[in-house]
Amino acid sequence: MKDMIDNLNLKILRIRFFTEQHIRMKYWIGAVLRNRFLYVAESVYVNETMSLRRIIETLPLSEEHFMFRQLQEGFPKGFLFDCSDLPYDGSGFVLRPNTIYCFSLILIGKLITYQASFLEAISRMINDGFGHPMVSLELVDVTEGDLCVLPDLILKENRFETLELVFKTPVSLMHLPKGKGSGFQNKLNNFPSFYQFMRSLMYRVVTLGILYSDGISFENRKEMDEWIEEYIAPSMKAVLLQANLCYEKRYSTPKVGETSVYSMAGYTGRLIFGKVHSDYLPLLSALSPLGVGSDVNYGLGTFRVSYRSGY
């Protein structure tokens, strides 16, 4: 398990751009980035026969793997955009002329080897631009961060800290029950508890490790579930000290020939928890670029953490 996480490295590329014309769109800017990028990635080839989009959307597991059946209908992709610093006003976004804007591209594990192809797609996407009609953008620069290596997943000292958790774009950790439902999670009114946050985050990082690292995997689903539950058990001791949350919706761009759009929702705002196991803190800081919850590849699930000694 430690080897698997050790091999799950992250690469963060910071992209700055501007427009010479006013651009207004009534969609979530994270969805615009995601959809435009995938469109361009179809025409970027990493070799004579394989496009970047095909690599992104090909499940990197054999049919014999215990996770194959679950993930073949949809799996977490090995890249995402952090658009939390781009403008959004509740009904869409506006890009103003000659203002420099920034977003980040995060590459995960094995997909780091395709960095040059990702940058080519980004360059084409920026050149093509956004809007209706399309307005070309101008690329300022791309800043390459250091390779991020995740810390050990080992709980050592039994110390506790106070954690501030900020949801910068909507975070959805659970789905509202469609029926009565008998599970405990269906009775939590959709509230993002620290336990549910840790559970969602660990399933995400473990799944990404299985998909995009060369490290050790679990033998079966039962072993994976038991390990995660044991690791996050101390999160149940956390105490909610303060909450300031807002439930918000975001809307994707329409598909060609369709009038309805894909909608997403989650909580933005701040949570403060006491009695958080201290060994979780460096892990949460390192994992924050990965996002958490639903629709991460549309720019949702962005979070940041800070902590202090105390309660």
Side-chain angles (χ1 to χ4, degrees), residues 63-83:
E63 293 186 11
E64 292 73 31
H65 196 281
F66 70 89
M67 292 285 284
F68 180 83
R69 292 185 63 183
Q70 175 186 337
L71 297 177
Q72 64 177 336
E73 298 300 324
F75 62 96
K77 302 305 185 283
F79 81 102
L80 68 150
F81 293 114
D82 179 350
C83 60

Side-chain angles (χ1 to χ4, degrees), residues 81-140:
F81 293 114
D82 179 350
C83 60
S84 60
D85 291 331
L86 292 177
Y88 186 77
D89 62 9
S91 59
F93 68 91
V94 174
L95 299 180
R96 303 186 185 282
N98 302 314
T99 299
I100 295 178
Y101 297 99
C102 302
F103 67 93
S104 294
L105 167 67
I106 296 94
L107 301 178
I108 303 169
K110 294 178 181 179
L111 288 199
I112 296 173
T113 60
Y114 300 104
Q115 177 176 321
S117 296
F118 273 92
L119 289 178
E120 180 181 348
I122 289 288
S123 179
R124 292 191 191 183
M125 179 185 73
I126 294 292
N127 185 66
D128 289 348
F130 303 147
H132 300 289
M134 296 285 281
V135 175
S136 179
L137 308 173
E138 298 291 334
L139 182 64
V140 176

Side-chain angles (χ1 to χ4, degrees), residues 204-274:
R204 174 161 169 73
V205 72
V206 167
T207 303
L208 290 172
I210 290 171
L211 292 171
Y212 302 111
S213 80
D214 291 320
I216 300 170
S217 183
F218 295 98
E219 293 295 326
N220 50 58
R221 180 58 187 259
K222 181 175 182 291
E223 181 184 354
M224 184 182 80
D225 291 344
E226 289 177 349
W227 185 90
I228 291 175
E229 190 60 36
E230 180 181 356
Y231 184 77
I232 66 175
S235 66
M236 291 184 287
K237 298 180 180 180
V239 177
L240 178 63
L241 302 180
Q242 185 176 334
N244 184 7
L245 297 174
C246 182
Y247 191 70
E248 299 184 9
K249 285 190 174 182
R250 300 288 187 266
Y251 297 93
S252 183
T253 56
K255 293 183 178 180
V256 177
E258 297 184 12
T259 56
S260 61
V261 297
Y262 178 62
S263 63
M264 303 158 277
Y267 291 98
T268 60
R270 184 175 68 143
L271 293 164
I272 298 179
F273 292 98

